[in-house]
């Protein structure tokens, strides 16, 4: 079964600085999708960024970018120019190509210090 | 605002009771997913419907059931409730973007079982 691991339960970053959140996963599939979701105190889940495994180019979305290392099964999220509104729980998620399996990591709580 | 709506926002009930949670997907989205988020179990995928048909099943208890109606809204029915069913229940709808399915989460329904 696929698993998603986020080894950093908590992280903090100074406002305007850059922070990287780690995620590793385990799968025997070659085609799949990876996601980062943000859950602020409102508890709503917000899609931050997604990556298709067949694409070598790392996805970027404004201040958010990923470092996707397929061979290492690593999918880290980099947040540049951190803002107070970035403070939230961040979940890494894996989904297989057939849509039969959607697995979330345990989350990393990010604090942004003014 | 993701465009996915869930009602009610909060629900407080007693053990042994039955409740129904409702979800309206984004306009045009055919897929609806249900998730349970509890403190000790993290985010767990329960079930997926696509255009009225069950498509995938995750860690859904037999006491729980769901359906998707012709207007594409979905309901999650939880019966014989136990204290451990207290959790945040999310609904998500999905859309294909550039060949990849992306989910958009609703605000969640917080269920408290006393």
């Amino acid at each position: 079964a696929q698993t998603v691991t986020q080894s950093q339960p908590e992280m903090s970053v100074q406002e305007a600085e850059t922070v990287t959140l780690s995620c590793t996963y385990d799968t025997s599939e070659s085609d799949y999708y990876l996601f980062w979701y943000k859950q602020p105190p409102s508890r709503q889940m917000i899609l931050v960024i997604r990556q298709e495994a067949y694409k070598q180019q790392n996805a970027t979305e404004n201040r958010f970018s990923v470092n996707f290392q397929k061979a290492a099964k690593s999918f880290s999220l980099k947040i540049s120019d951190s803002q107070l509104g970035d403070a939230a729980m961040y979940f890494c998620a894996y989904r297989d190509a057939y849509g039969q399996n959607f697995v979330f990591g345990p989350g990393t709580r990010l604090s942004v210090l003014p | 605002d993701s465009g996915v709506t869930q009602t009610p926002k909060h629900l407080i009930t007693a053990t042994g009771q039955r409740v129904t949670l409702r979800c309206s997907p984004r306009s045009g989205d055919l897929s609806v997913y249900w998730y349970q988020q509890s403190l000790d179990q993290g985010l767990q995928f329960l079930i997926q419907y696509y255009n009225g048909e069950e498509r995938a099943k995750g860690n859904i208890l037999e006491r729980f059931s769901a359906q998707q109606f012709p207007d594409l809204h979905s309901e999650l029915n939880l019966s014989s409730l136990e204290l451990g069913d207290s959790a945040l229940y999310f609904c998500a709808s999905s859309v294909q973007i550039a060949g990849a399915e992306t989910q958009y989460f609703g605000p969640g329904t917080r269920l408290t079982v006393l």
Side-chain angles (χ1 to χ4, degrees):
Chain A
Q2 287 82 1
T3 57
V4 177
T5 303
Q6 293 178 251
S7 59
Q8 307 150 316
E10 295 185 0
M11 293 278 287
S12 62
V13 62
Q14 210 71 35
E15 196 176 2
E17 296 296 307
T18 296
V19 65
T20 299
L21 308 184
S22 301
C23 172
T24 58
Y25 57 94
D26 186 27
T27 183
S28 58
E29 303 290 332
S30 59
D31 197 13
Y32 49 86
Y33 303 98
L34 298 165
F35 304 84
W36 277 98
Y37 283 90
K38 169 185 175 182
Q39 188 179 44
S42 67
R43 304 304 299 274
Q44 184 159 2
M45 295 287 282
I46 302 166
L47 175 67
V48 174
I49 200 166
R50 66 178 172 86
Q51 173 81 41
E52 295 87 342
Y54 64 84
K55 288 187 178 179
Q56 293 190 340
Q57 186 174 6
N58 289 323
T60 62
E61 194 71 41
N62 301 316
R63 297 182 296 107
F64 299 88
S65 62
V66 298
N67 183 4
F68 174 48
Q69 301 289 328
K70 191 171 183 179
K73 295 181 183 174
S74 170
F75 182 61
S76 60
L77 174 70
K78 185 171 84 171
I79 306 174
S80 305
D81 186 26
S82 297
Q83 301 175 0
L84 295 178
D86 294 333
M89 196 77 168
Y90 286 81
F91 292 95
C92 178
Y94 164 98
R95 182 187 173 93
D96 67 31
Y98 307 101
Q100 295 296 307
N101 202 0
F102 205 121
V103 181
F104 285 77
T108 295
R109 183 172 301 283
L110 177 67
S111 301
V112 180
L113 308 174
Chain B
D1 185 0
S2 67
V4 178
T5 60
Q6 289 186 249
T7 56
K9 284 187 178 178
H10 302 278
L11 199 50
I12 301 174
T13 188
T15 54
Q17 296 298 303
R18 172 190 170 95
V19 298
T20 297
L21 313 183
R22 182 187 170 103
C23 168
S24 292
R26 298 180 339 147
S27 177
D29 288 357
L30 300 180
S31 253
V32 169
Y33 296 76
W34 285 99
Y35 294 88
Q36 178 193 60
Q37 186 179 32
S38 56
L39 283 175
D40 58 346
Q41 292 289 322
L43 192 62
Q44 301 283 324
F45 164 63
L46 296 178
I47 197 164
Q48 178 203 358
Y49 278 82
Y50 180 85
N51 202 20
E53 299 289 326
E54 181 184 304
R55 174 163 280 194
K57 218 170 198 179
N59 300 320
I60 188 166
L61 300 172
E62 286 190 9
R63 299 183 286 108
F64 296 0
S65 65
Q67 55 184 327
Q68 187 179 26
F69 295 87
D71 66 352
L72 300 178
H73 90 271
S74 178
E75 293 181 354
L76 179 67
N77 301 296
L78 315 176
S79 60
S80 303
L81 285 168
E82 302 175 359
L83 295 177
D85 297 328
S86 294
L88 192 57
Y89 290 85
F90 284 105
C91 161
S93 70
S94 69
V95 64
Q96 291 276 344
I97 299 177
E101 186 182 36
T102 300
Q103 295 188 22
Y104 294 90
F105 282 72
T109 292
R110 180 170 293 285
L111 174 67
T112 302
V113 182
L114 301 175

